[in-house]
Amino acid sequence: MSRRTWGVIGGVDKGGIIVRETPGEESSVVAERLSFGAIVQELDVQGDRVHYKLLNGTGPAEGWVSTRLQSGKDLLVRTEGIWRVVGGAEKGGIVVRDGPLTSSPMLPARLSFDAWVRQLELQGDRLRFERLT
């Protein structure tokens, strides 16, 4: 059975997201947090909690995490259709254009290194996206 993978997009300002030993809210919190940007493999899902195995990043090798805060803010996203910016760090991010052509006008703000985006459309090597982080 193929297991889904998830990316951690929450906890950037807190050193990662809280990991618990079991799915219940009353469960013990693990001392180490799961880092922003980590990729995990889903082992089980119960409600809005995912039992995971760490594939990439830092944090506990296994545990339970919430997919979103009570406010509705996502902490984890399924990685299907999710892209992470891995270039442009030395230039303050990558260029974003106002259309699908490389000749389209550049937007004033760059997409920062390590940002996460959701794919809306892919035309050749041009991505239309929604920013997640």
Side-chain angles (χ1 to χ4, degrees), residues 85-125:
V85 177
V86 297
E90 66 285 347
K91 295 182 180 180
I94 61 173
V95 171
V96 178
R97 297 196 177 269
D98 195 27
L101 304 176
T102 55
S103 59
S104 299
M106 287 176 40
L107 295 177
R110 290 177 171 255
L111 190 57
S112 61
F113 172 78
D114 214 24
W116 289 61
V117 299
R118 176 175 285 119
Q119 176 180 321
L120 300 176
E121 184 179 7
L122 185 62
Q123 295 180 358
D125 63 353

Side-chain angles (χ1 to χ4, degrees), residues 21-58:
E21 292 180 2
T22 63
E25 286 188 29
E26 69 286 347
S27 173
S28 297
V29 173
V30 178
E32 188 179 7
R33 288 177 174 247
L34 185 59
S35 67
F36 170 82
I39 303 294
V40 299
Q41 180 179 34
E42 173 186 301
L43 301 175
D44 190 17
V45 176
Q46 292 186 21
D48 68 346
R49 306 238 184 221
V50 174
H51 183 205
Y52 75 87
K53 173 183 160 187
L54 182 64
L55 298 177
N56 186 279
T58 59

